Amino acid sequence: MIRLGLCCIFRDEPIKFRRTTAAYLQRQTRDEGLRYLSEIAAANAAALKAALRYCRDNGIGAFRINSQILPLKTHPQAGYAVNDLPGHARIVADFKACGRFSRQFDIRTSFHPDQFIVLSSPQADVVRRSVADLVYQAEVAEWVNADVINIHAGGAYGDKQAALGRLAAVIDSLPPAIRTRLTLENDDRSYTPRDLLPLCERSGLPLVYDVHHHRCLPDGLSEEMVTAKALRTWDREPLFHLSSPADGWAGSKPNRHHDFIDPADLPVTWLKRDLTIDIEAKAKEVAVKKLLKFLNKQGAGHMTGQARGDILKRGASR
DNA sequence: AGCGGTCAAGTTGAT
DNA sequence: ATCAACTTGACCGCT
């Protein structure tokens, strides 16, 4: 029932995604740069396939794809169209093969555009560039069968309600490829579940409930309450986030992520339901496998007969 | 071959 | 007023 998700990269497994920098590209001719970007894109499509295969083979049910899978795609100078890349047909075909693999083995994929993607900004150009990046990520999402593009609400600018109003207006203007995948996540600085739930309910956007952020920035709503409300914003399998604090809850910086997940940080109300939990832990696949092992043991421990093993959608022991 | 400074972008909050 | 912290390494220039 529960599936655990791995975020973007591996700690031990030799699966790497490549990148480059604008400075490096700008020292070359346009053609040389595009050839280089094409190599990286092809390598990243291969790495994604390897990542999905790893997930399948290790009982990991979801994989978050780094937003730099096509590096510098929308950079003002170094940016490019897919069709500019030499061998683009093959590259797109490779990504689409990842999409078929994802469907075939039920490995859910998602995107999490980084902090520069801000739809609530009062600066029109910031919003324009953010939307351009979402267009790119939605294009790749179509290829690879990703059903979630998850963003934060952005800055508060001293007036959260005004910022949320701008956000809602931008959301309404987005093309379907983005709109149908877009989700909102509570953050640990400005926007709590209490802030976001009304917008989610009104705009029909699912809430990606990050319980770690909620613990860092509480809003008076209980975890049980937010869990229940967030579940209702989803028209498909919900996706939540989980992490543990690096130095414990009493440490100086509880918002920093630990290498692993302390099972005590997993809300009990999340168990035994259809749910994707993205594991934000620095030990990456090692941390996911460790939690899977714990949950399997746990599931077998307090359940009997037919229910045995059903706690997890995908078993860890293969 | 290996090391380490640097990397497109926005916003906040700590100093 | 400046700058690290967010996700987090991987890359590229230099020795």
Side-chain angles (χ1 to χ4, degrees), chain A residues 5-317:
Chain A
L6 171 63
C7 297
C8 304
I9 56 174
F10 293 78
R11 191 191 78 174
D12 292 351
E13 193 67 16
I15 298 173
K16 306 280 182 205
F17 291 89
R18 294 181 57 192
R19 297 174 176 179
T20 188
T21 63
Y24 179 66
L25 288 176
Q26 280 159 8
R27 280 194 295 275
Q28 319 179 24
T29 65
R30 182 74 176 160
D31 280 353
E32 286 166 344
L34 288 170
R35 271 199 296 279
Y36 186 65
L37 287 162
S38 170
E39 272 176 39
I40 292 178
N44 285 352
L48 179 58
K49 188 66 169 294
L52 296 176
R53 202 176 282 130
Y54 179 91
C55 289
R56 178 196 62 185
D57 294 344
N58 290 274
I60 298 173
F63 185 70
R64 182 189 300 174
I65 300 169
N66 195 294
S67 15
Q68 293 263 37
I69 187 105
L70 298 181
L72 302 167
K73 177 72 173 62
T74 63
H75 185 278
Q77 279 85 45
Y80 52 94
V82 173
N83 289 349
D84 294 339
L85 298 175
H88 62 267
R90 178 59 196 274
I91 292 166
V92 173
D94 288 350
F95 278 114
K96 286 182 174 171
C98 290
R100 285 195 302 278
F101 188 96
S102 150
R103 266 196 194 86
Q104 184 179 355
F105 296 105
D106 191 25
I107 307 298
R108 191 181 196 182
T109 56
S110 66
F111 284 83
H112 193 0
D114 52 31
Q115 68 270 29
F116 309 109
I117 305 310
V118 183
L119 299 184
S120 62
S121 177
Q123 301 175 69
D125 208 52
V126 169
V127 176
R128 186 188 59 73
R129 294 201 311 270
S130 297
V131 173
D133 216 68
L134 292 177
V135 167
Y136 137 61
Q137 295 190 43
E139 183 179 15
V140 183
E142 300 239 0
W143 301 339
V144 304
N145 185 41
D147 72 304
V148 165
I149 300 177
N150 177 43
I151 61 171
H152 291 289
Y157 314 92
D159 185 347
K160 272 198 230 182
Q161 287 317 309
L164 286 172
R166 287 193 299 271
L167 176 60
V170 173
I171 286 168
D172 286 342
S173 75
L174 293 172
I178 301 172
R179 186 66 183 71
T180 54
R181 295 181 170 87
L182 199 69
T183 63
L184 286 178
E185 178 189 349
N186 60 301
D187 62 72
D188 58 3
R189 280 226 204 290
S190 307
Y191 291 95
T192 63
R194 188 194 281 278
D195 295 323
L196 297 179
L197 278 164
L199 173 57
C200 287
E201 286 156 7
R202 192 165 50 89
S203 301
L205 285 197
L207 180 72
V208 171
Y209 177 34
D210 186 316
V211 72
H212 186 257
H213 288 157
H214 193 211
R215 288 163 180 162
C216 293
L217 183 66
D219 57 1
L221 296 180
S222 69
E223 291 172 17
E224 293 71 24
M225 178 62 80
V226 174
T227 295
K229 285 176 178 288
L231 289 174
R232 284 199 288 275
T233 64
W234 286 86
D235 59 355
R236 50 198 183 276
E237 181 174 314
L239 191 159
F240 291 173
H241 288 179
L242 179 67
S243 38
S244 287
D247 307 308
W249 286 107
S252 55
K253 292 173 179 173
N255 49 337
R256 308 211 60 177
H257 291 172
H258 197 278
D259 286 354
F260 293 96
I261 300 297
D262 179 348
D265 287 322
L266 175 60
V268 289
T269 55
W270 288 17
L271 296 170
K272 295 191 236 170
R273 52 174 86 247
D274 286 328
L275 177 64
T276 301
I277 306 176
D278 270 359
I279 300 305
E280 298 187 324
K282 295 202 291 186
K284 296 296 167 183
E285 84 280 13
V286 186
V288 177
K289 287 168 75 173
K290 190 172 174 181
L291 183 60
L292 270 173
K293 205 169 175 181
F294 173 86
L295 289 174
N296 273 327
K297 204 170 52 182
Q298 199 71 0
H302 67 67
M303 297 169 85
T304 54
Q306 200 141 21
R308 227 161 199 270
D310 285 354
I311 192 168
L312 289 170
K313 190 161 200 160
R314 322 187 63 82
S317 47

